[in-house]
Structures are given as structure tokens and as C-alpha cells.
Amino acid sequence: MPVPLHQAKADFFRTIGHPVRVQVLELLRDGPLPVRDLLSAIDVEASNLSQQLAVLRRAGVVTATRDGATVVYALSTQDLAELMSVARSILAEVLAEQGELLAELRAEARG
């Protein structure tokens, strides 16, 4: 029996919802990067990064190609880069609204 679409979407967001995986996706927005560059940009152990990359690879979110001894990762589709940009926009809006509410609360407390 096929997985309902809402379940597939929830699984997808759970897959990309890990902080290290989000960092990887953000870094790959501008194009493919070798593992060594990802490792230098993300403050995690190599084994942890490898594990997170494997999760993204199995889910089809990133691709890996070998260039000699170097493994280069890329987003499987540019739609993922757009998704990360949209997520950033949504978060900025939410935080701005929360900031406005916080300012109102502080003004009320002073007044």
C-alpha cells in the first residue's frame, strides 16, 4: 500500500530537519562541495558528518560523485536550494512578528 502524500511530506521534512543536515543543504545551495569543505564549514566530527550525508543521500536529497579520492556532494535538485531560501524568508517573518510582539510587551511593562 502506498504511503499517503501527507506522510511522505512529513518523512521528508523529518529527514532534512536535523541541524547538521540543514547546514549541509545551506552550504550546497551555491553548488557542489567536496566533503573536506563541508567538514571545515560545519563544526562536527567527520564521522557525524558522514552519517548525516548518508541519510541525505539515501533519501535522494543529495548526490555524491567521486573525483579521484575526493567525494563531492550536490543537491539532487535546485528546488532544494529554493526550499532553503523560502524557509529562511518564513523564519525571518516569524521572528520579525515575534520581535514586534516582544517590543509591545516591553513597552506595556514600562508603561
Side-chain angles (χ1 to χ4, degrees):
M1 181 169 177
V3 174
L5 182 57
H6 65 273
Q7 182 64 49
K9 285 181 182 179
D11 292 343
F12 170 76
F13 282 113
R14 260 192 302 280
T15 297
I16 65 171
H18 187 280
V20 172
R21 294 180 213 148
V22 169
Q23 285 182 287
V24 167
L25 297 176
E26 289 285 351
L27 290 167
L28 295 178
R29 283 180 347 144
D30 296 327
L33 290 171
V35 173
R36 70 176 170 272
D37 290 358
L38 292 171
L39 192 54
S40 69
I42 301 173
D43 187 29
V44 295
E45 296 291 324
S47 60
N48 188 354
L49 179 60
S50 178
Q51 182 180 34
Q52 302 310 324
L53 288 168
V55 170
L56 292 171
R57 199 173 53 248
R58 279 192 304 273
V61 174
V62 299
T63 60
T65 54
R66 192 169 282 286
D67 183 14
T70 303
V71 179
V72 177
Y73 281 87
L75 297 177
S76 62
T77 173
Q78 277 308 113
D79 288 342
L80 288 161
E82 185 177 339
L83 176 64
M84 298 310 291
S85 293
V86 169
R88 187 180 289 113
S89 278
I90 292 169
L91 185 57
E93 260 184 62
V94 167
L95 292 174
E97 289 172 8
Q98 289 176 358
E100 291 169 12
L101 180 59
L102 181 59
E104 285 179 39
L105 287 170
R106 285 182 176 156
E108 193 175 277
R110 283 188 298 252

